[in-house]
Amino acid sequence: MLAELPESYKLKIIGKGELENELFELANILKVQDRIDWLGELSLSKTLNQLNESAILLHPARVANDGNAEGTPQIILWAQALKIPVITSATGSISEIVKNELTGLLVESENIEQFIDAILKFNDESRRKYITQNGFEEVSKNHSLSIVVNQWLQLYGNLSKTND
C-alpha cells in the first residue's frame, strides 16, 4: 500500500507481531523501508504521543482464522478523542464506534485499493474536519471516563438489586 502512495507519505508501525520479519522483507522488496518507522512496543504515553503527531490512524482490522475479531480497540477511541482521522475495517465491534463517512472511514479488510482511496480522501480538509469533529463528539458523548464510570455503577447497582 505504501509503495502506491506519494513518496511524502510515511508509516509508523507501533507494536510487534508474528509477521514482523515478513513485513521487514516486504518493505525491502518494495523499496519503502526508508519510509517506515518501526517503533516496536511502546508505553501508553509514548503511543499517545505518536498518535497525536500522526495525520491518520490506519487500523487494518481483520477476522482471524478462528473467527475471532477485536472488540472495541482503545486506539481508535484515543484517535477520535485527539481528532485524528481513523481508517479501519468493520470487524468485531469496530462498526459501533466508527460510522463510515461520519466518524471515520470503513474499508473492507485487506482491500489495499480501498485503504489507499480512504487515505487520499483525507487530503480534503473539509471532509477531514467533519469526520474528526464527529468522531470527537461521539467519543466524548459515549466513552468519557464519567460516562463509563456511571454505566458501571448502574450495572453494579442493578446486579445488587437482583441479588437482594
Side-chain angles (χ1 to χ4, degrees), residues 101-126:
E101 296 284 349
L102 183 64
T103 63
L105 297 177
L106 294 173
V107 299
E108 293 175 18
S109 290
E110 302 182 40
N111 187 319
I112 304 297
E113 292 79 25
Q114 284 187 11
F115 271 101
I116 291 169
D117 289 345
I119 291 166
L120 295 174
K121 281 182 179 182
F122 281 123
N123 288 334
D124 177 347
E125 194 59 33
S126 62

Side-chain angles (χ1 to χ4, degrees), residues 1 21-22 30 78 93-94 105 112 118 143 148 157 162:
M1 169 175 28
N21 289 335
E22 290 177 42
L30 296 175
W78 296 329
S93 299
I94 290 175
L105 297 177
I112 304 297
H143 298 280
V148 172
T162 60

Side-chain angles (χ1 to χ4, degrees), residues 6 8 13 15 17-18 21 35 52-53 63 65 84 89 92 95 98 110 116-118 131 135 138 143 154:
S8 60
I13 298 178
E18 60 189 42
N21 289 335
R35 295 170 56 193
N52 196 38
E53 295 172 5
V63 177
N65 291 336
I84 305 296
S89 303
S95 60
V98 177
E110 302 182 40
I116 291 169
D117 289 345
I131 288 174
E138 191 71 20
H143 298 280
Q154 184 177 13

Side-chain angles (χ1 to χ4, degrees), residues 44-87:
L44 176 58
S45 63
K46 288 182 180 178
T47 298
L48 292 175
N49 285 336
Q50 288 295 325
L51 181 60
N52 196 38
E53 295 172 5
S54 298
I56 297 171
L57 172 68
L58 286 179
H59 188 274
R62 61 187 191 145
V63 177
N65 291 336
D66 65 0
N68 194 16
E70 289 187 78
T72 303
Q74 295 298 302
I75 192 73
I76 292 176
L77 298 175
W78 296 329
Q80 290 173 325
L82 292 169
K83 295 185 177 180
I84 305 296
V86 174
I87 301 171

